[in-house]
Amino acid sequence: KTFCVQINMAKSGILVIVSALVVLAVCGVFAEEKEYVLTLDHTNLTETVAKHNFIVLEFYAPWCGHCKNLAPEYEKAASELSSHDPPIVLAKYDASDEANRELSKQYEIQGFPTIKILRDGGKKVQEYNGPREAAGIVSYLKKQVGPASAEIKSKEDATNLIDEKSIFVVGIFPDPSGEKFENYLTLAEKLRGEVDFAHTVDAKHLPRGGPVNKPTLRLLKPFDGLFVDFEDFQVDAMEKFISESSIPIVTIFDNDPNNHPYVNKFFEGTNAKALLFVNFSSDFDAFKSKYNDVAVLYKGDGVSFLLGDVEAGQGAFEYFGLKPEQAPVIIIMDTEEQKYVKEHLEPDAIAAYLKDYKDGKLKPHVKSQPIPEVNDEPVKVVVRDTLQDMVYNSGKNVLLEFYAPWCGHCKSLAPILDEVAVSFESDPDVLIAKLDATANDLPKGDFDVQGFPTMYFRSASGNLSQYDGERTKEAIIEFIEKNRDKSAQSDSAKVDSAKDEL
């Protein structure tokens, strides 16, 4: 809005129209700065997406700190990409707004900010896995809007496209046509947000690998031989090959950020996982060669290998319930989430330990807090080693809370559970209990704990149900009374009482 100043000069009777420059100086011009990021809501999201062959959509919450940090970078990127040919549209959607939540569910939003790339009017949805600063967003999206696989016609093309420090996949096709080529393009489109793709008619243009005379998939990588070839052009087979080949034979887990993408891929993989933690400053060389030999031996046999520095792996030690002084320590996690642990491992014992694992000779490691010496609070403490006796075999109706010590909602619930427990203190058939789910392994299958607090109720006869009602004393008590049944302990007491009367 522009405000003008009119000055009435009474003495001369002349109406003076102040010049534009004076107006600017005295009043100012309040011009709204253009916003390049589209703001969408439930009334226009579907319609807007349907109009675009390519649109980028950020799901955010106004209170989210990461969203606030992203906002100016996202706007800068939107401004620059608006002049791209064709323009690349960036939009945002407040997924925390109650009115917008229903549409957010369709996009499976789990946290903020989440960015999706929507193609073909929203028919194809792709996760955005790129940078979070303006220049990186621009560079990433320019690649995404082009063909899924770029054509390499010269060594210069290859130099411009291939990042020597990243995974890059090239399809080599002396004749770029037919079923194999079409399958390759399908794969490139499917994985374009995760891996960079290109194709060429001649392998001589590529920086690594020899000539080929038939269709070949070549994966270039900054480790383990620097490239690997593959010739099965079934889409699923190629996808599996890329997934497995994108992880080093031994993934290094330390404080070097260049290794972090491979650590993420390691943990995202579907193989069983072997994690060896040693002190890199003193034990790295002694273990690396032996561990690498074992990893090569089991390559393709369903086990992935990681060598981690004790200093960088503090979070892993906490997760597994271990202490740094137990290193060198190897942990194996199988695909059923069973864990096997060997502490104070010697380099020459690595091969034998892996063989025992493959032969099924190892006993699973179960993480449990120590059994409390005193357990006389209204809400009883359950640990993994007492779960069977206190919950499964107790013959009682048990309400069990799974909590995390740092969880604010758990702290708010604690006094309420205390009141519930006190109200049942004189009832021998009801037990109110809690288990620290961050410090104890849970038995597989029964309890699905995705967040904290989570409460389950197990009746005396073994019926299991999750409590999802209001977190009030009255609601919890009502739920227990509705779902409880008589325990064997109570029935036995009645029989004994009847005998006494006789």
Side-chain angles (χ1 to χ4, degrees):
K1 299 177 182 178
T2 302
F3 297 89
C4 296
V5 171
Q6 293 182 332
I7 300 176
N8 186 4
M9 307 295 290
K11 291 183 179 180
S12 60
I14 302 173
L15 181 65
V16 178
I17 307 298
V18 181
S19 69
L21 289 175
V22 174
V23 171
L24 287 171
V26 176
C27 308
V29 174
F30 298 89
E32 294 184 1
E33 185 177 344
K34 180 177 180 179
E35 291 186 357
Y36 290 90
V37 175
L38 296 182
T39 300
L40 305 179
D41 60 25
H42 68 283
T43 66
N44 59 3
L45 173 65
T46 302
E47 178 186 358
T48 303
V49 168
K51 292 178 180 178
H52 290 85
N53 186 50
F54 185 98
I55 185 171
V56 183
L57 183 58
E58 176 207 1
F59 294 86
Y60 75 100
W63 43 260
C64 164
H66 295 296
C67 302
K68 292 176 182 177
N69 292 335
L70 174 63
E73 301 297 320
Y74 197 62
E75 179 64 33
K76 288 178 190 175
S79 174
E80 184 169 341
L81 290 170
S82 66
S83 59
H84 184 270
D85 186 17
I88 299 176
V89 178
L90 274 59
K92 62 182 180 181
Y93 185 83
D94 182 357
S96 69
D97 189 310
E98 187 65 37
N100 293 339
R101 287 184 182 175
E102 192 60 35
L103 278 178
S104 297
K105 291 179 182 178
Q106 296 181 18
Y107 291 94
E108 301 177 351
I109 305 304
Q110 301 296 323
F112 305 117
T114 294
I115 305 175
K116 305 271 187 177
I117 296 174
L118 311 179
R119 303 175 189 272
D120 299 338
K123 295 176 183 177
K124 298 178 182 177
V125 181
Q126 172 190 324
E127 294 291 334
Y128 173 91
N129 296 314
R132 297 296 176 94
E133 41 80 27
I137 295 171
V138 170
S139 176
Y140 184 90
L141 291 178
K142 283 182 176 179
K143 290 181 181 179
Q144 294 300 308
V145 80
S149 176
E151 185 176 3
I152 293 177
K153 299 179 180 179
S154 65
K155 288 186 177 181
E156 184 180 3
D157 286 345
T159 300
N160 291 334
L161 285 171
I162 297 172
D163 181 353
E164 297 290 327
K165 295 182 180 180
S166 303
I167 302 294
F168 199 96
V169 178
V170 183
I172 305 169
F173 297 94
D175 177 17
S177 63
E179 182 181 0
K180 291 183 178 181
F181 184 65
E182 292 302 321
N183 285 351
Y184 166 77
L185 293 179
T186 298
L187 176 76
E189 186 65 45
K190 181 179 181 181
L191 300 183
R192 66 182 298 160
E194 303 172 27
V195 186
D196 289 330
F197 288 85
H199 58 275
T200 185
V201 297
D202 198 331
K204 72 180 182 182
H205 301 319
L206 306 181
R208 299 189 289 277
V212 296
N213 56 13
K214 56 184 175 181
T216 302
L217 194 69
R218 178 166 293 172
L219 185 142
L220 306 173
K221 53 185 179 176
F223 52 79
D224 297 344
L226 303 184
F227 81 96
V228 59
D229 287 349
F230 190 68
E231 295 179 1
D232 184 346
F233 278 84
Q234 297 301 311
V235 173
D236 290 345
M238 287 189 288
E239 186 171 2
K240 182 180 179 183
F241 160 75
I242 292 172
S243 175
E244 292 178 351
S245 300
S246 297
I247 302 174
I249 293 175
V250 174
T251 299
I252 300 299
F253 180 15
D254 57 11
N255 292 319
D256 184 350
N258 291 322
N259 290 326
H260 293 173
Y262 304 113
V263 174
N264 291 337
K265 286 180 180 291
F266 172 86
F267 284 107
E268 290 168 358
T270 58
N271 281 346
K273 296 169 178 60
L275 304 93
L276 173 60
F277 286 96
V278 303
N279 189 326
F280 274 21
S281 62
S282 58
D283 297 328
F284 182 80
D285 292 335
F287 279 88
K288 186 177 186 298
S289 177
K290 297 283 187 182
Y291 197 52
N292 192 78
D293 289 345
V294 173
V296 171
L297 180 65
Y298 288 97
K299 182 175 173 60
D301 198 20
V303 184
S304 298
F305 292 80
L306 177 143
L307 179 58
D309 184 15
V310 170
E311 181 182 349
Q314 292 299 315
F317 275 83
E318 292 178 11
Y319 175 78
F320 291 111
L322 301 172
K323 299 183 182 300
E325 51 265 30
Q326 292 172 271
V329 59
I330 189 169
I331 305 143
I332 299 177
M333 294 190 300
D334 68 15
T335 54
E336 298 298 318
E337 298 182 11
Q338 294 268 36
K339 305 177 187 71
Y340 306 87
V341 176
K342 173 69 173 176
E343 57 187 83
H344 304 303
L345 184 73
E346 295 291 335
D348 290 336
I350 297 173
Y353 191 74
L354 262 294
K355 186 177 186 304
D356 285 346
Y357 163 71
K358 294 297 287 185
D359 292 343
K361 295 180 180 180
L362 300 182
K363 181 180 179 181
H365 170 84
V366 178
K367 180 175 67 173
S368 176
Q369 289 178 299
I371 297 174
E373 294 182 6
V374 178
N375 202 359
D376 56 4
E377 294 297 321
V379 177
K380 305 306 178 187
V381 174
V382 175
V383 299
R384 181 63 173 85
D385 288 343
T386 60
L387 186 64
Q388 196 71 29
D389 290 339
M390 292 185 67
V391 178
Y392 287 95
N393 299 334
S394 67
K396 297 185 178 184
N397 301 284
V398 182
L399 180 74
L400 180 61
E401 177 208 13
F402 297 93
Y403 74 97
W406 42 259
C407 166
H409 295 295
C410 302
K411 293 176 182 177
S412 299
L413 178 62
I416 297 171
L417 283 185
D418 282 339
E419 293 180 9
V420 173
V422 168
S423 70
F424 283 106
E425 274 188 324
S426 60
D427 190 332
D429 292 342
V430 176
L431 176 70
I432 311 300
K434 62 183 180 180
L435 182 146
D436 181 351
T438 69
N440 297 274
D441 284 337
L442 305 183
K444 188 174 178 62
D446 285 349
F447 305 108
D448 181 21
V449 180
Q450 300 294 328
F452 304 114
T454 295
M455 287 186 282
Y456 272 90
F457 181 78
R458 191 178 191 275
S459 72
S461 59
N463 293 322
L464 190 68
S465 57
Q466 185 173 351
Y467 179 79
D468 57 2
E470 294 182 13
R471 293 172 186 168
T472 63
K473 172 186 174 182
E474 294 74 19
I476 295 172
I477 290 175
E478 181 181 354
F479 177 86
I480 293 172
E481 294 291 359
K482 181 179 179 181
N483 290 277
R484 65 179 293 180
D485 52 31
K486 294 179 181 179
S487 70
Q489 177 180 331
S490 178
D491 290 341
S492 176
K494 288 182 179 179
V495 170
D496 291 342
S497 176
K499 287 180 178 178
D500 291 341
E501 290 178 4
L502 290 174

